[in-house]
Structure formats: C-alpha cells, structure tokens
Amino acid sequence: MTANPQPDLLDIRIDGRIARLTVTRPDKRNSLNDALIEAFDAFFSAPPEGVRAVILSGEGGHFSSGLDLSEHVARDAAGTMRHSRNWHRVMDLIQFGGLPVVSAMTGAVIGGGLELAAATHVRIAEPSVIFQLPEGRRGIFVGGGATVRIGRILGPDRMIEMMLTGRRYGAAEGLALGLCHYNVGEGEAMALAEDLAGKIADNASLSNYVMIQAIARIGDMARADGLFTESLCAALTQTSRDAEEGLRAFLEKRQPSFS
C-alpha cells in the first residue's frame, strides 16, 4: 500500500487496484475548499497506473458538509461563474474520468458534499447520513452541478421543494429517492465499499469505462440517438479480447481473468 506525501486535505492510499481517497478536514466536517477541489482535479486527471476503482470517504464521521463558507471569497458575477464552472469541470472528471467511484457516506452529505457524492457511481449510506441542499435558505444557489446530477435523481419538482425548504433526508429516505444505492448499518459502509470496489475492479476495464461514459449521456439523448449509441457501445465491447475471455470463462464455468 502506498500513500500520498501530503494528506492534509485528501489522503490518497493505493492498495493494489483500489485507490482510497479520504477527505481529511474533520474539524470542518470535511467541507470543500478550492485547495481540496484542486486535489481531486490532480488525482482524477492522472490516476495512478493500475488503479481500477476508487473508494471515496470522509474522516471523522462526515462525508462532506459542502462549501467551506469560512473561506468564502467575494467574487463578482464573472468570477462566481468561473468558480462554478471549475467545479463542474472537476465533478465531470470524477463522473466521466473512467474510474468507477464508490462513496462510503456517513454524517453530513450536504450542499457541495451531495454534489460530490452525486458525481460518484455507487453510493453507500450509514444511518447517520443527512442529505440536504441548504443553499436556498442562505440566499444563494447551487453551483457544483446539483441541478443536473441531483435534479436527474430526484426530478426537478422534488429538488425545488428540497432547496426552498432546506429539507433534510435520512439514509432510508435517500435510498428510496435514489440519493444512495445501499443503506447499511453503523460502521458498515466501508466494508461494503471495499467488497463492491473489488468486484468492480474485477470487471473488464473497457466495459466499466463504456458504462461510465455512455449510460448517463444516453439518458440525455433522444430515443433514436440513444439506441444508436448503445449499438456502438455493444460493438466496441463485444468484439474485444475481454469479451472473448468472458465467454470462454462462462463456458468453462470459471471466473474470467480480464486484462
């Protein structure tokens, strides 16, 4: 296992095919500042060779309480737009960078923290989790991609109500709404994340990559365009060496060994 030399904001540990990213600002409930966004940018722009999946979590009982308002910088409209667009760019790197990301969530998953979680592909919630978008109660608006990612999970109508009222959802409600995919007991999120990340890492890397790249985009397409794109993805994956190995393994009744 290897670790990054400066874990003051984001502790990065590489354990074989799994990268474990832990936000390490427990005194700030793992709130997100510009330096932390830069750390995510650096990792997902050039992930270590051999990494096949990522586990993302927060230290000290919270996933992330969102934007660090104590480090708020006054910006004009143009500066605020550029800041928001940079968040969009980094969240897109997480969602579409090609590495499957599993979030092990505890405590606060609020504002920008929920935007971060929504950019990941598998989300696990413990009973302590609180999902919230409180920006409307603070006189501001989301800027890290919530209207696209969270809006597509909840639907615009429910997201409007959530922002207008500052409503909080717990882990069980989040599971029903799609904010998380798994609801586990206290202290169980990381074990499940490790199990799922291991299974995902065992998949063919090309098929993982295509699923990450294609499915969300197909959801934005017209029906005919989506079906055509699906055929392209099928042609790409089903003619690969990994597909040949998968078929042989099935016929030989063994686990496949993908490149």
Side-chain angles (χ1 to χ4, degrees):
M1 178 181 288
T2 60
N4 61 319
Q6 294 182 326
D8 54 320
L9 294 172
L10 184 66
D11 184 46
I12 301 171
R13 298 180 181 270
I14 310 302
D15 186 5
R17 301 172 303 164
I18 310 298
R20 304 167 188 268
L21 275 58
T22 308
V23 181
T24 54
R25 306 186 77 211
D27 56 320
K28 298 282 191 177
R29 293 201 303 165
N30 295 320
S31 58
L32 306 174
N33 59 9
D34 289 345
L36 185 51
I37 294 298
E38 289 175 7
F40 281 123
D41 187 1
F43 176 84
F44 285 100
S45 292
E49 186 175 353
V51 168
R52 301 280 288 267
V54 176
I55 297 173
L56 178 60
S57 63
E59 183 181 281
H62 295 285
F63 183 75
S64 175
S65 60
L67 181 65
D68 188 348
L69 296 178
S70 70
E71 297 186 21
H72 174 70
V73 176
R75 299 180 177 90
D76 60 15
T80 301
M81 179 173 287
R82 291 190 182 96
H83 187 257
S84 171
R85 293 296 290 155
N86 185 60
W87 273 55
H88 293 165
R89 181 184 63 81
V90 175
M91 297 302 167
D92 278 350
L93 266 179
I94 296 170
Q95 183 176 2
F96 296 113
L99 284 177
V101 184
V102 180
S103 288
M105 300 182 294
T106 56
V109 188
I110 294 174
L114 182 50
E115 290 176 318
L116 173 63
T120 68
H121 308 100
V122 180
R123 297 180 293 278
I124 305 165
E126 292 191 6
S128 61
V129 161
I130 296 171
F131 298 110
Q132 187 182 25
L133 293 173
E135 287 83 354
R137 303 291 293 171
R138 295 171 182 160
I140 57 177
F141 195 74
V142 292
T147 55
V148 172
R149 292 186 179 88
I150 300 168
R152 277 164 171 70
I153 293 170
L154 296 177
D157 179 72
R158 190 176 291 275
M159 183 174 168
I160 290 169
E161 187 274 338
M162 188 177 183
M163 287 191 67
L164 285 173
T165 64
R167 182 173 183 168
R168 296 183 173 194
Y169 290 112
E173 294 168 308
L175 180 65
L177 293 169
L179 294 172
C180 59
H181 302 107
Y182 297 86
N183 187 357
V184 298
E186 183 178 355
E188 296 177 358
M190 185 55 69
L192 180 57
E194 290 171 350
D195 178 62
L196 294 175
K199 290 178 179 178
I200 292 168
D202 285 340
N203 293 343
S205 57
L206 176 61
S207 61
N208 277 351
Y209 185 83
V210 170
M211 284 184 277
I212 287 170
Q213 297 296 327
I215 294 174
R217 289 185 169 97
I218 288 171
D220 290 334
M221 293 178 183
R223 180 179 182 275
D225 296 336
L227 291 172
F228 181 70
T229 302
E230 179 182 279
S231 295
L232 292 176
C233 294
L236 178 63
T237 57
Q238 292 175 23
T239 55
S240 68
R241 291 182 179 179
D242 282 335
E244 295 175 3
E245 164 62 12
L247 177 59
R248 283 196 301 269
F250 175 77
L251 294 175
E252 295 169 6
K253 295 181 172 56
R254 61 174 174 82
Q255 292 297 314
S257 178
F258 296 120
S259 57

